[in-house]
Amino acid sequence: MSKKNLLELENINLTFKKKKILEGVSLSLVKGKSYVLMGPNGSGKSSLAKVIMGYSSYQPKKGAKIIFQDQEITGLDIDKRARLGIFLSSQSPPDFDGIRVTDLLQTALADKKSYLQIRKEVEKLSQELQLDPTLIKKPLNQAASGGERKKLELLQAAILDPTFLILDEIDTGVDVDALKTISQFIKRHFFKADKTLFLITHYQRILEYLTPGQVLVMKAGRIIKSGNSSLAKLIDKKGYRWI
Amino acid sequence: MKTTFQLAKGLTEDNIRQIWQRKKEPQWMLEFRLQALKIFYKLPLPKWGPNLSQINFEDFSYYQEVTTTPPRSWEDIPTEIKATYEQLGLPEAEQRFLAGIATQAESQILYKSLRRQLQKRGVIFLSIGEGLKKHPQLFRHYFASVIPPTDNKLAALNSAAWSGGSFVYVPPGVKISQPIQAYFLINIPSVGQFERTLIIVDEGAELNYIEGCSAPLYHQSSLHAGVVEVIVKAGAKMRYTTIQNWSKNVYNLTTQRAKVYQNATMEWIDGNVGSRITMKYPCCLLVGKGAKGYVLSLSLASRGQYHDTGTKIFHLAANTSSRVISKSISLEGGRSSYRGLVYTSPQAVNSKSSVSCDTLILDPQSRSDTYPTMQIKNPKSLIRHEATVSVLDEKKLTYLMSRGLSRTEAEGLLVTSFATPVTQQIPLEYASELNKLIKLEMEASIG
């Protein structure tokens, strides 16, 4: 295996109640590159992301192999994968009662950063994201709009500083201004040589601001096409049916 | 700490007489104590909640005299307790004090200026024994006026055998904004078995009083039956905070009650973490028009622990209001019950009460129950009761773990956030100690 590869997926099969969700997905992702995964609703995009992240209810069938930075992580718990540098933004992050984003980050980074350091970074990044300054003082996601939730996911990603970022529909339910802010933030923080970005989206919209290195198309649990950014434009015009 | 005198075991008239003699109290107190003893033997044990029949009341010594110098050696403190002190990050001076080995002098210096300030404003802040000696009339006027010995068997026991505790009087209009920590200020070596606290907040005055701390109290004796009486005069405001982490052999059976006059406010904040059995129902008697009572409580019951706690609110005058928030956490087979009473008398028109009990159960072995009682004697009052029972939300746990938190860390964060409505009401350093303590309990339960 090439040292250049960040992630290798081999033969990922996933079934839910006898329904096949993922069918023999194999994929290699290169370090420092950005990817977009597109595909119709229910094609298995988010499931694939959860398999990579290691959600306990998204364990692939036997015979699957997941290798991250030359280490096999198949079967490894979700928190251990997070500590290895994998981050998956949540499509619908839960509302917390008494936990602020700073509390979460402080616990996650207890051995790396002080609370004051974290709070400073959170304040700075929330300005960049044009978040209401009172929001970060409230429990995470409490009384937050859809767009604010997405921004809070990005804020966490920027502070946790993972090597591999999966952003799952970070552009859904976001207005035009927020989309612009979000795209700029992604470009500034995650389009870097030491990071690999894996963007999952339905829409071409975000790609007006971000140009991915490679576009992958998923349909019915398989990755059926791959190409450069012009493929995304084609899909926008013609839909998925022609593939 | 060195014991210089220890009374023979048993609850006899002669023993009670000896306590009185050694404490050089006035004659009326002897009569009071002996009367209470008779009542103790007449009254039955509580018929609800935990079974107390295994307590052999004859097997305790009801009075000790101790000297704080020379201190007990640090080496004598069990390592388990020392380790917890360290994990809680307490300063060493505080650790030594809590372990009962600090000398009088150490804490005297720390709190000297505060004591002087309070004295200047006419505030009386004494151990209860000194209170009786130095302010006999004031003392006698209020003592046992809120909780008479006839109230319950354990209050009777306390009334017969009490020693230790504090006596506080805040004159009219004097507002003490800074929270007052009882142990450090009054310098009681450690909380007594049968301590008694009497607090009078006179008209328009304010007091914020804190008893206990989240560090485990090292105690050899396993029976604690305290009495706390509070009088909040018209327009006054009082907050009484208890944070207690008794060692796990202790029966904590404490009666706490406040009499709240016109437009006065009483707040009980009660955090119970330790003990084997805790039975405690902070109570507000809202006797004056417009009186307000608040009770915020948090209970954490782990392996081998049974907490039967709750609140009693008596609306006895018009326009009174009360709010109760009870949070309990059960884990590792621990059991916690909320037992509450809201009463509104025929006079208590336009009264409002709202009670909410939230329970978190961390595993299937643990148990939680809610026993609310409401007695409404007039139609013109508004009473609300809500109860929720929840388990840790798996979706939230997974979310936190996807950010790199271990399962234990994620659970700890969720549990402490459940307790936030209580912990945010107590001073920061106590809140952070309490949060650490919750996490320690959870880690211990996993290990």
Side-chain angles (χ1 to χ4, degrees):
Chain A
M1 188 186 312
S2 152
K3 279 265 170 200
K4 255 179 78 190
N5 280 352
L6 177 92
L7 183 81
E8 296 269 353
L9 298 181
E10 283 173 42
N11 195 26
I12 307 290
N13 287 287
L14 184 74
T15 311
F16 266 132
K17 292 178 183 162
K18 293 186 180 162
K19 191 175 177 268
K20 287 182 177 169
I21 308 291
L22 295 173
E23 288 196 64
V25 175
S26 292
L27 189 66
S28 295
L29 302 183
V30 177
K31 213 172 268 180
K33 202 170 164 181
S34 61
Y35 298 84
V36 167
L37 179 65
M38 302 182 82
N41 266 331
S43 57
K45 303 183 302 292
S46 293
S47 299
L48 181 65
K50 285 180 172 164
V51 167
I52 298 170
M53 189 70 233
Y55 275 74
S56 56
S57 45
Y58 288 79
Q59 294 300 321
K61 282 192 174 171
K62 263 192 186 159
K65 212 171 194 185
I66 307 170
I67 294 156
F68 179 69
Q69 289 181 324
D70 297 325
Q71 182 188 343
E72 174 151 11
I73 59 166
T74 331
L76 199 69
D77 287 341
I78 187 166
D79 56 316
K80 305 227 168 66
R81 294 190 200 194
R83 290 202 174 253
L84 286 176
I86 303 177
F87 180 95
L88 166 61
S89 74
S90 171
Q91 268 196 45
S92 51
D95 288 26
F96 287 93
D97 299 324
I99 303 173
R100 295 162 302 180
V101 70
T102 43
D103 299 323
L104 186 163
L105 291 168
Q106 187 199 9
T107 316
L109 298 170
D111 44 357
K112 296 194 184 106
K113 286 177 180 171
S114 74
Y115 181 71
L116 281 178
Q117 221 176 331
I118 289 168
R119 209 178 62 187
K120 243 190 206 160
E121 285 180 38
V122 166
E123 274 166 18
K124 187 175 161 285
L125 293 170
S126 67
Q127 273 174 21
E128 261 185 54
L129 285 163
Q130 295 173 7
L131 275 168
D132 175 355
T134 60
L135 204 65
I136 52 169
K137 295 190 176 99
K138 287 182 198 151
L140 181 57
N141 295 325
Q142 205 179 74
S145 69
E148 286 169 330
R149 282 163 200 258
K150 305 283 174 172
K151 288 178 175 180
L152 285 162
E153 290 291 289
L154 289 173
L155 185 146
Q156 290 177 57
I159 294 179
L160 292 167
D161 197 23
T163 41
F164 181 43
L165 270 114
I166 312 168
L167 300 179
D168 189 5
E169 295 193 13
I170 202 79
D171 52 345
T172 304
V174 169
D175 65 36
V176 184
D177 289 336
L179 183 68
K180 214 169 163 180
T181 311
I182 285 175
S183 307
Q184 280 165 354
F185 190 85
I186 293 172
K187 212 185 245 172
R188 196 175 313 126
H189 292 275
F190 310 133
F191 269 59
K192 286 181 175 171
D194 59 343
K195 291 200 186 307
T196 304
L197 183 68
F198 196 75
L199 204 64
I200 299 173
T201 184
H202 282 299
Y203 311 106
Q204 152 75 14
R205 224 165 37 135
I206 192 167
L207 303 180
E208 285 165 22
Y209 304 99
L210 299 171
T211 312
Q214 193 174 348
V215 176
L216 302 163
V217 180
M218 197 164 195
K219 210 172 166 183
R222 297 168 194 268
I223 291 176
I224 52 162
K225 204 159 181 68
S226 156
N228 60 20
S229 58
S230 60
L231 176 60
K233 288 193 180 108
L234 214 57
I235 288 169
D236 192 41
K237 225 184 264 170
K238 294 188 171 179
Y240 293 103
R241 280 172 193 267
W242 64 277
I243 304 173
Chain B
M1 207 165 10
K2 202 174 146 200
T3 306
T4 52
F5 170 78
Q6 179 146 12
L7 191 65
K9 280 183 182 177
L11 206 48
T12 61
E13 211 181 289
D14 185 53
N15 276 344
I16 296 299
R17 204 179 286 273
Q18 272 197 64
I19 296 174
W20 172 80
Q21 246 161 15
R22 295 200 70 102
K23 289 171 70 69
K24 302 185 180 72
E25 291 169 348
Q27 183 65 30
W28 72 268
M29 189 52 79
L30 177 66
E31 283 151 26
F32 175 84
R33 286 177 181 276
L34 292 176
Q35 182 63 25
L37 183 68
K38 280 190 192 131
I39 295 164
F40 170 80
Y41 278 113
K42 259 186 228 153
L43 289 175
L45 279 168
K47 290 186 182 70
W48 63 87
N51 181 2
L52 302 178
S53 63
Q54 31 191 327
I55 303 176
N56 179 2
F57 289 101
E58 302 305 324
D59 199 34
F60 294 97
S61 164
Y62 285 86
Y63 182 71
Q64 296 91 31
E65 280 171 15
V66 293
T67 53
T68 46
T69 41
R72 183 169 61 186
S73 150
W74 183 238
E75 279 67 47
D76 296 342
I77 309 303
T79 35
E80 181 196 307
I81 301 242
K82 276 197 270 196
T84 312
Y85 286 161
E86 269 162 37
Q87 280 168 303
L88 286 171
L90 298 178
E92 201 190 303
E94 205 169 317
Q95 290 185 27
R96 294 169 67 86
F97 189 91
L98 293 168
I101 62 168
T103 60
Q104 293 244 348
E106 277 176 58
S107 62
Q108 290 275 351
I109 292 160
L110 280 168
Y111 294 92
K112 204 171 171 177
S113 74
L114 180 60
R115 283 176 78 111
R116 208 181 299 133
Q117 277 175 37
L118 292 173
Q119 260 164 16
K120 231 187 257 169
R121 302 176 72 186
V123 178
I124 301 169
F125 225 113
L126 296 168
S127 77
I128 192 147
E130 285 177 289
L132 172 58
K133 284 196 180 74
K134 293 185 179 161
H135 303 275
Q137 274 163 324
L138 190 65
F139 187 101
R140 192 169 179 179
H141 185 70
Y142 290 106
F143 183 80
S145 68
V146 186
I147 305 173
T150 46
D151 189 78
N152 67 72
K153 190 174 183 76
L154 292 144
L157 174 67
N158 177 288
S159 300
W162 70 270
S163 62
S166 40
F167 176 72
V168 182
Y169 172 78
V170 187
V174 173
K175 294 179 181 170
I176 304 166
S177 49
Q178 180 184 1
I180 302 292
Q181 222 296 5
Y183 289 160
F184 297 115
L185 196 72
I186 306 174
N187 204 4
I188 305 158
S190 75
V191 80
Q193 274 176 271
F194 307 103
E195 101 262 36
R196 200 158 172 123
T197 295
L198 177 57
I199 297 174
I200 303 121
V201 186
D202 216 327
E203 293 184 5
E206 281 179 24
L207 177 67
N208 184 348
Y209 182 94
I210 299 170
E211 169 205 57
C213 61
S214 54
L217 277 173
Y218 176 56
H219 225 279
Q220 285 144 343
S221 186
S222 64
L223 177 61
H224 173 249
V227 163
V228 178
E229 293 181 282
V230 178
I231 293 104
V232 195
K233 291 290 193 69
K237 221 176 149 183
M238 165 77 194
R239 168 179 280 200
Y240 190 102
T241 304
T242 309
I243 302 298
Q244 227 140 47
N245 183 18
W246 296 98
S247 49
K248 301 221 169 128
N249 60 329
V250 168
Y251 288 87
N252 178 26
L253 313 166
T254 292
T255 310
Q256 294 186 176
R257 188 172 307 158
K259 206 172 198 175
V260 192
Y261 289 87
Q262 193 164 341
N263 295 324
T265 302
M266 175 68 203
E267 301 175 356
W268 292 109
I269 297 173
D270 206 49
N272 296 296
V273 180
S275 82
R276 177 177 175 189
I277 286 174
T278 287
M279 290 177 80
K280 197 174 178 190
Y281 319 93
C283 169
C284 291
L285 304 174
L286 304 174
V287 297
K289 280 181 191 166
K292 293 181 185 69
Y294 295 97
V295 183
L296 266 173
S297 67
L298 172 70
S299 146
L300 179 88
S302 185
R303 184 180 308 169
Q305 292 181 275
Y306 187 173
H307 287 177
D308 193 277
T309 56
T311 311
K312 287 194 273 184
I313 307 275
F314 293 87
H315 291 263
L316 303 171
N319 305 322
T320 48
S321 60
S322 63
R323 173 101 182 87
V324 176
I325 299 173
S326 159
K327 297 259 175 188
S328 70
I329 303 160
S330 310
L331 69 156
E332 280 291 300
R335 181 170 176 188
S336 65
S337 305
Y338 172 83
R339 197 178 298 278
L341 169 68
V342 174
Y343 171 87
T344 65
S345 73
Q347 296 79 38
V349 289
N350 299 324
S351 291
K352 277 183 281 188
S353 174
S354 133
V355 178
S356 60
C357 302
D358 301 317
T359 293
L360 186 62
I361 303 176
L362 295 189
D363 49 57
Q365 301 88 54
S366 303
R367 177 172 166 180
S368 177
D369 305 279
T370 304
Y371 306 101
T373 307
M374 285 167 214
Q375 296 172 5
I376 318 296
K377 306 287 181 199
N378 79 73
K380 283 186 167 176
S381 50
L382 192 69
I383 313 295
R384 214 159 56 96
H385 177 93
E386 288 167 15
T388 66
V389 179
S390 50
V391 292
L392 284 184
D393 185 335
E394 202 56 41
K395 196 182 172 215
K396 288 180 183 170
L397 275 174
T398 305
Y399 178 87
L400 294 171
M401 287 169 74
S402 79
R403 301 294 133 98
L405 276 70
S406 69
R407 178 165 276 271
T408 314
E409 287 169 337
E411 286 178 345
L413 206 52
L414 284 175
V415 172
T416 52
S417 79
F418 172 81
T420 302
V422 178
T423 48
Q424 73 187 2
Q425 291 299 323
I426 60 183
L428 193 64
E429 61 271 30
Y430 292 91
S432 93
E433 279 178 24
L434 197 60
N435 283 339
K436 278 186 205 157
L437 196 67
I438 292 172
K439 286 178 185 159
L440 281 177
E441 277 294 331
M442 295 187 54
E443 278 163 27
S445 79
I446 283 150

